[in-house]
Amino acid sequence: MDVKKFLAAGIVFAISFLAICGCGTKQAAAVDMVQVGVAYYDQSDTFLTELLGCLRAQFETMESGRLHITMSIRDAAGSQRRQDDQVKELIDSGCNVLCINLVDRANPAEIIDLAREHAIPVIFFNREPVAEDMMQWDGLYYVGADARQSGVMQGELAADAVRADNNRIDRNNDGKVQYVVLEGEPGHQDAIIRTENAVDTLKNRGIALEKLSCGIANWSRAQAQNRMMQMIGQYQNQIELVLANNDDMALGAMDAYKKLNVTESALPVFFGIDGTQAGLHAVADEELAATVYNDKEGQAAAIAKLAVALALGEGMDGIAFEKGRYVYLEYAKVTSGNVRGFLGRGD
Ligand code: BGC
Ligand code: CA
């Protein structure tokens, strides 16, 4: 009996000893858990789909034995109401940082209130809230790019092309370039600013322009094809230059010409912005004259770094902010001469 008691006491002691040691080791190798909630405006958007792919890859490379990161993604399918509900749900599920691509960039109030109430920092990206809303709380950040720069670069690329190949581009030889614009969503910081800066830059570089038409195609390839079909119907072979606010719309314009079987000598030159996979391939094939790279890898890296720093409350020192809480990545020009370097980036 005594021996049994002795043995039992020994076992209890051994178990408690192991348990204490176990806890000790666990504390030494404590795992940081970062639960990221991502909400974006519409899964049909090519650029965002590619950007989120980069973001996922970034979080994966940051994971280690000591850092565990989960990412939950919600698609708002174009409804701000739905996005507000999704954010509520992400908060309830325990996210400790939010990355938000607003549906309506002028209407972040509900999300800001929810985040502030729960003290969960927010990184807005790609669709920039107005400055007034960004000032509502100091847990708000933005990662994106400067729309003006992309417009200027597109204008410079187009001006260079007109200079280099004036006879081919000014097909009716009237000394002016007849152009049309395909524009993104009204109200998006990247739509009107890109157009204005591209056109102004062409003019500043001494290119005489004649605007034939402008159509809103909401970033969409299919809508751009429709708009372009209408414009071709109206202006036939007079269009010499197509400036599109993004690659998808430039590709949609090209689709319209293909559908109508227009001969190559009657095609305008097309310019996009983004450098999506399809856009880069079109530049490599010399169908798209040039594009402007919207640095999705850089944006994803900045979002990921900031998200982890905010969730853990450390590591903010290494981040280069503008105006305290903005991170803007540089655009870059892409032509058939340097496109290979960009095509390799996603690999
Ligand atoms: C991109 C577009 C995209 C839009 C979505 C822009 O910065 O250039 O391709 O559709 O963001 O918000
Ligand atoms: Ca002309």
Side-chain angles (χ1 to χ4, degrees), residues 41 45-48 101-102 125-127 185 188-190 194 218-220 245-248 273-274 276 294 299 331:
Y41 91 106
D45 189 287
T46 308
F47 176 73
L48 276 159
N101 174 244
L102 288 164
F125 64 98
N126 170 264
R127 300 162 76 89
E185 286 169 277
H188 191 300
Q189 82 277 349
D190 290 338
R194 284 180 177 167
N218 298 307
W219 309 119
S220 144
N245 283 169
N246 76 346
D247 283 356
D248 258 14
I273 292 177
D274 275 345
T276 58
N294 195 353
Q299 291 168 32
Y331 282 100

